[in-house]
Amino acid sequence: MEERDKQLLKMIRKQSEEGMSLLIDEYGGAIKAICSNVLRNYDAGIVQDAMQETVIRLWQKLSQRFQVKKNLRAYIYQTARNCALDYLRKYQRHSETDFEGVEDMMQDVSTDVEREFSRKHNERIVHEVIKEMEEPDRTIFILRFFYYETVKVIAETVHLKEDNVESRIRRGKKKLKAELLRRGVLNE
């Protein structure tokens, strides 16, 4: 675990307000990106609630001497994703029982179903292509485009120079585009 993460963990375990501030300063952007990505079809208030729930869960777990194995960052990202998914399930359940405007929805349902099927199909192909990438390119791509990490943070994480990370991102994007063209997801 990185030294600054060890310090952060110590402060949180002392239940220091400074620890909470540092947690938000250090990881607030990533938490927001993850929650926004998962809850992209919902308003900002729901995203904000999921972010707050993430911080609360982290504070509760980490201050109770919960053992973080190896990587605090990964644990924080996982917690953010799980909180956002909990909110997604909660609001999907509520929207399924809300019958206002059903007639309007039914008019566009076939178009929406086609569009959603196409989106999910394309998303699955993107995930497959990324899964087929070699390491560290896969990790670099995931950190950059799913967790919105900066090139500097990625370089530190995978122990490469920033220039090397940038060139791997460029090559990865070219490979991804070529593969998506080949599989019919994109048109030239």
Tab-separated table of all heavy atoms in Angstrom, residues 12-44:
chain	number	residue	atom	x	y	z
A	12	ILE	N	-8.071	8.055	9.484
A	12	ILE	CA	-9.468	7.603	9.547
A	12	ILE	C	-9.671	6.748	10.790
A	12	ILE	O	-10.677	6.883	11.486
A	12	ILE	CB	-9.847	6.833	8.265
A	12	ILE	CG1	-9.917	7.803	7.084
A	12	ILE	CG2	-11.163	6.095	8.444
A	12	ILE	CD1	-10.111	7.138	5.743
A	13	ARG	N	-8.717	5.894	11.092
A	13	ARG	CA	-8.844	5.022	12.265
A	13	ARG	C	-8.816	5.809	13.566
A	13	ARG	O	-9.347	5.352	14.570
A	13	ARG	CB	-7.775	3.947	12.219
A	13	ARG	CG	-8.103	2.973	11.103
A	13	ARG	CD	-7.334	1.711	11.160
A	13	ARG	NE	-7.899	0.786	10.171
A	13	ARG	CZ	-7.190	-0.047	9.464
A	13	ARG	NH1	-5.891	-0.130	9.648
A	13	ARG	NH2	-7.781	-0.841	8.600
A	14	LYS	N	-8.210	6.981	13.548
A	14	LYS	CA	-8.234	7.863	14.722
A	14	LYS	C	-9.534	8.665	14.756
A	14	LYS	O	-9.748	9.468	15.650
A	14	LYS	CB	-7.048	8.825	14.695
A	14	LYS	CG	-5.726	8.157	14.955
A	14	LYS	CD	-4.618	9.198	14.900
A	14	LYS	CE	-3.263	8.548	15.082
A	14	LYS	NZ	-2.169	9.512	14.941
A	15	GLN	N	-10.364	8.463	13.753
A	15	GLN	CA	-11.627	9.174	13.565
A	15	GLN	C	-11.399	10.679	13.513
A	15	GLN	O	-12.168	11.471	14.041
A	15	GLN	CB	-12.637	8.768	14.633
A	15	GLN	CG	-12.917	7.284	14.595
A	15	GLN	CD	-14.305	6.920	15.012
A	15	GLN	OE1	-15.031	7.718	15.562
A	15	GLN	NE2	-14.671	5.684	14.741
A	16	SER	N	-10.371	11.054	12.809
A	16	SER	CA	-9.997	12.449	12.639
A	16	SER	C	-10.794	13.049	11.483
A	16	SER	O	-10.930	12.435	10.430
A	16	SER	CB	-8.495	12.508	12.343
A	16	SER	OG	-8.165	13.640	11.611
A	17	GLU	N	-11.306	14.284	11.688
A	17	GLU	CA	-12.012	14.971	10.608
A	17	GLU	C	-11.059	15.248	9.448
A	17	GLU	O	-11.466	15.284	8.295
A	17	GLU	CB	-12.620	16.278	11.112
A	17	GLU	CG	-13.846	16.053	11.966
A	17	GLU	CD	-14.504	17.357	12.365
A	17	GLU	OE1	-14.401	18.354	11.619
A	17	GLU	OE2	-15.132	17.367	13.428
A	18	GLU	N	-9.796	15.423	9.777
A	18	GLU	CA	-8.786	15.636	8.744
A	18	GLU	C	-8.691	14.406	7.836
A	18	GLU	O	-8.487	14.529	6.635
A	18	GLU	CB	-7.429	15.914	9.397
A	18	GLU	CG	-6.374	16.349	8.428
A	18	GLU	CD	-5.043	16.623	9.118
A	18	GLU	OE1	-5.032	16.889	10.331
A	18	GLU	OE2	-4.028	16.553	8.416
A	19	GLY	N	-8.872	13.228	8.430
A	19	GLY	CA	-8.866	11.991	7.646
A	19	GLY	C	-10.010	11.964	6.649
A	19	GLY	O	-9.833	11.575	5.488
A	20	MET	N	-11.183	12.391	7.085
A	20	MET	CA	-12.352	12.444	6.199
A	20	MET	C	-12.108	13.439	5.070
A	20	MET	O	-12.380	13.144	3.907
A	20	MET	CB	-13.596	12.838	6.993
A	20	MET	CG	-14.834	12.934	6.137
A	20	MET	SD	-15.410	11.352	5.547
A	20	MET	CE	-16.657	11.042	6.753
A	21	SER	N	-11.559	14.597	5.400
A	21	SER	CA	-11.268	15.607	4.381
A	21	SER	C	-10.242	15.092	3.378
A	21	SER	O	-10.390	15.290	2.169
A	21	SER	CB	-10.727	16.885	5.023
A	21	SER	OG	-11.716	17.477	5.802
A	22	LEU	N	-9.227	14.429	3.882
A	22	LEU	CA	-8.194	13.882	3.007
A	22	LEU	C	-8.762	12.802	2.098
A	22	LEU	O	-8.435	12.744	0.912
A	22	LEU	CB	-7.024	13.333	3.833
A	22	LEU	CG	-5.801	12.880	3.064
A	22	LEU	CD1	-5.233	14.018	2.238
A	22	LEU	CD2	-4.740	12.354	4.022
A	23	LEU	N	-9.641	11.956	2.650
A	23	LEU	CA	-10.302	10.917	1.848
A	23	LEU	C	-11.061	11.561	0.694
A	23	LEU	O	-10.944	11.135	-0.456
A	23	LEU	CB	-11.247	10.089	2.721
A	23	LEU	CG	-12.147	9.097	1.992
A	23	LEU	CD1	-11.334	7.917	1.477
A	23	LEU	CD2	-13.255	8.605	2.909
A	24	ILE	N	-11.811	12.601	0.991
A	24	ILE	CA	-12.608	13.270	-0.039
A	24	ILE	C	-11.703	13.981	-1.038
A	24	ILE	O	-11.921	13.911	-2.252
A	24	ILE	CB	-13.626	14.233	0.605
A	24	ILE	CG1	-14.679	13.414	1.371
A	24	ILE	CG2	-14.289	15.119	-0.440
A	24	ILE	CD1	-15.570	14.214	2.275
A	25	ASP	N	-10.663	14.664	-0.547
A	25	ASP	CA	-9.732	15.361	-1.448
A	25	ASP	C	-9.029	14.382	-2.376
A	25	ASP	O	-8.881	14.624	-3.568
A	25	ASP	CB	-8.673	16.140	-0.657
A	25	ASP	CG	-9.246	17.357	0.050
A	25	ASP	OD1	-10.385	17.751	-0.269
A	25	ASP	OD2	-8.555	17.903	0.939
A	26	GLU	N	-8.567	13.285	-1.801
A	26	GLU	CA	-7.749	12.330	-2.547
A	26	GLU	C	-8.585	11.499	-3.523
A	26	GLU	O	-8.161	11.213	-4.645
A	26	GLU	CB	-7.042	11.408	-1.549
A	26	GLU	CG	-5.921	10.617	-2.122
A	26	GLU	CD	-4.684	11.456	-2.402
A	26	GLU	OE1	-4.448	12.466	-1.724
A	26	GLU	OE2	-3.952	11.079	-3.331
A	27	TYR	N	-9.786	11.083	-3.098
A	27	TYR	CA	-10.550	10.125	-3.892
A	27	TYR	C	-11.941	10.605	-4.297
A	27	TYR	O	-12.683	9.871	-4.951
A	27	TYR	CB	-10.675	8.804	-3.121
A	27	TYR	CG	-9.358	8.103	-2.985
A	27	TYR	CD1	-8.668	8.083	-1.777
A	27	TYR	CD2	-8.775	7.478	-4.077
A	27	TYR	CE1	-7.444	7.447	-1.660
A	27	TYR	CE2	-7.562	6.842	-3.973
A	27	TYR	CZ	-6.897	6.828	-2.762
A	27	TYR	OH	-5.688	6.204	-2.663
A	28	GLY	N	-12.302	11.833	-3.932
A	28	GLY	CA	-13.641	12.342	-4.249
A	28	GLY	C	-13.932	12.369	-5.744
A	28	GLY	O	-15.034	12.022	-6.178
A	29	GLY	N	-12.938	12.764	-6.535
A	29	GLY	CA	-13.132	12.819	-7.995
A	29	GLY	C	-13.404	11.449	-8.583
A	29	GLY	O	-14.291	11.285	-9.427
A	30	ALA	N	-12.659	10.457	-8.123
A	30	ALA	CA	-12.856	9.091	-8.625
A	30	ALA	C	-14.201	8.539	-8.172
A	30	ALA	O	-14.903	7.878	-8.951
A	30	ALA	CB	-11.726	8.181	-8.144
A	31	ILE	N	-14.574	8.808	-6.926
A	31	ILE	CA	-15.868	8.350	-6.412
A	31	ILE	C	-16.995	8.963	-7.247
A	31	ILE	O	-17.932	8.274	-7.649
A	31	ILE	CB	-16.024	8.694	-4.912
A	31	ILE	CG1	-15.066	7.845	-4.075
A	31	ILE	CG2	-17.465	8.511	-4.450
A	31	ILE	CD1	-14.958	8.285	-2.621
A	32	LYS	N	-16.870	10.261	-7.539
A	32	LYS	CA	-17.890	10.935	-8.354
A	32	LYS	C	-17.950	10.333	-9.754
A	32	LYS	O	-19.035	10.080	-10.284
A	32	LYS	CB	-17.584	12.429	-8.447
A	32	LYS	CG	-18.609	13.190	-9.254
A	32	LYS	CD	-18.331	14.667	-9.274
A	32	LYS	CE	-19.425	15.387	-10.051
A	32	LYS	NZ	-19.215	16.827	-10.041
A	33	ALA	N	-16.790	10.082	-10.353
A	33	ALA	CA	-16.753	9.519	-11.711
A	33	ALA	C	-17.409	8.144	-11.744
A	33	ALA	O	-18.190	7.840	-12.652
A	33	ALA	CB	-15.318	9.434	-12.203
A	34	ILE	N	-17.109	7.319	-10.759
A	34	ILE	CA	-17.669	5.963	-10.732
A	34	ILE	C	-19.183	6.022	-10.534
A	34	ILE	O	-19.942	5.374	-11.269
A	34	ILE	CB	-16.987	5.122	-9.634
A	34	ILE	CG1	-15.516	4.882	-9.998
A	34	ILE	CG2	-17.724	3.795	-9.413
A	34	ILE	CD1	-14.672	4.384	-8.854
A	35	CYS	N	-19.630	6.805	-9.547
A	35	CYS	CA	-21.070	6.909	-9.284
A	35	CYS	C	-21.803	7.511	-10.489
A	35	CYS	O	-22.880	7.046	-10.864
A	35	CYS	CB	-21.331	7.732	-8.024
A	35	CYS	SG	-20.816	6.910	-6.499
A	36	SER	N	-21.206	8.528	-11.108
A	36	SER	CA	-21.828	9.158	-12.284
A	36	SER	C	-21.923	8.180	-13.443
A	36	SER	O	-22.911	8.173	-14.178
A	36	SER	CB	-21.017	10.381	-12.724
A	36	SER	OG	-21.022	11.354	-11.727
A	37	ASN	N	-20.898	7.360	-13.605
A	37	ASN	CA	-20.881	6.387	-14.695
A	37	ASN	C	-21.976	5.332	-14.496
A	37	ASN	O	-22.737	5.026	-15.410
A	37	ASN	CB	-19.506	5.731	-14.796
A	37	ASN	CG	-19.363	4.894	-16.040
A	37	ASN	OD1	-20.024	5.121	-17.039
A	37	ASN	ND2	-18.486	3.921	-15.980
A	38	VAL	N	-22.064	4.793	-13.305
A	38	VAL	CA	-23.066	3.752	-13.028
A	38	VAL	C	-24.478	4.333	-13.085
A	38	VAL	O	-25.400	3.701	-13.596
A	38	VAL	CB	-22.807	3.088	-11.652
A	38	VAL	CG1	-23.935	2.145	-11.265
A	38	VAL	CG2	-21.476	2.336	-11.676
A	39	LEU	N	-24.646	5.550	-12.574
A	39	LEU	CA	-25.973	6.168	-12.475
A	39	LEU	C	-26.182	7.236	-13.556
A	39	LEU	O	-26.875	8.220	-13.340
A	39	LEU	CB	-26.138	6.790	-11.080
A	39	LEU	CG	-26.109	5.799	-9.926
A	39	LEU	CD1	-25.908	6.514	-8.609
A	39	LEU	CD2	-27.362	4.947	-9.916
A	40	ARG	N	-25.605	7.020	-14.729
A	40	ARG	CA	-25.625	8.042	-15.781
A	40	ARG	C	-27.027	8.405	-16.252
A	40	ARG	O	-27.226	9.470	-16.806
A	40	ARG	CB	-24.758	7.618	-16.960
A	40	ARG	CG	-25.201	6.374	-17.681
A	40	ARG	CD	-24.212	5.986	-18.778
A	40	ARG	NE	-24.357	4.612	-19.157
A	40	ARG	CZ	-23.699	3.609	-18.606
A	40	ARG	NH1	-22.828	3.834	-17.668
A	40	ARG	NH2	-23.898	2.377	-18.994
A	41	ASN	N	-28.020	7.550	-16.032
A	41	ASN	CA	-29.384	7.846	-16.481
A	41	ASN	C	-30.229	8.510	-15.394
A	41	ASN	O	-31.425	8.688	-15.567
A	41	ASN	CB	-30.078	6.568	-16.945
A	41	ASN	CG	-29.397	5.972	-18.157
A	41	ASN	OD1	-28.861	6.690	-18.988
A	41	ASN	ND2	-29.391	4.662	-18.250
A	42	TYR	N	-29.604	8.862	-14.273
A	42	TYR	CA	-30.337	9.448	-13.150
A	42	TYR	C	-29.834	10.856	-12.879
A	42	TYR	O	-28.742	11.228	-13.302
A	42	TYR	CB	-30.192	8.559	-11.903
A	42	TYR	CG	-30.883	7.231	-12.100
A	42	TYR	CD1	-30.194	6.144	-12.628
A	42	TYR	CD2	-32.223	7.075	-11.800
A	42	TYR	CE1	-30.830	4.927	-12.837
A	42	TYR	CE2	-32.869	5.867	-12.004
A	42	TYR	CZ	-32.161	4.793	-12.526
A	42	TYR	OH	-32.795	3.606	-12.737
A	43	ASP	N	-30.643	11.632	-12.145
A	43	ASP	CA	-30.267	13.027	-11.919
A	43	ASP	C	-29.113	13.149	-10.928
A	43	ASP	O	-28.754	12.209	-10.226
A	43	ASP	CB	-31.473	13.873	-11.493
A	43	ASP	CG	-32.035	13.485	-10.136
A	43	ASP	OD1	-31.244	13.275	-9.204
A	43	ASP	OD2	-33.270	13.417	-10.011
A	44	ALA	N	-28.576	14.347	-10.873
A	44	ALA	CA	-27.382	14.624	-10.070
A	44	ALA	C	-27.618	14.388	-8.579
A	44	ALA	O	-26.688	14.013	-7.855
A	44	ALA	CB	-26.908	16.051	-10.307
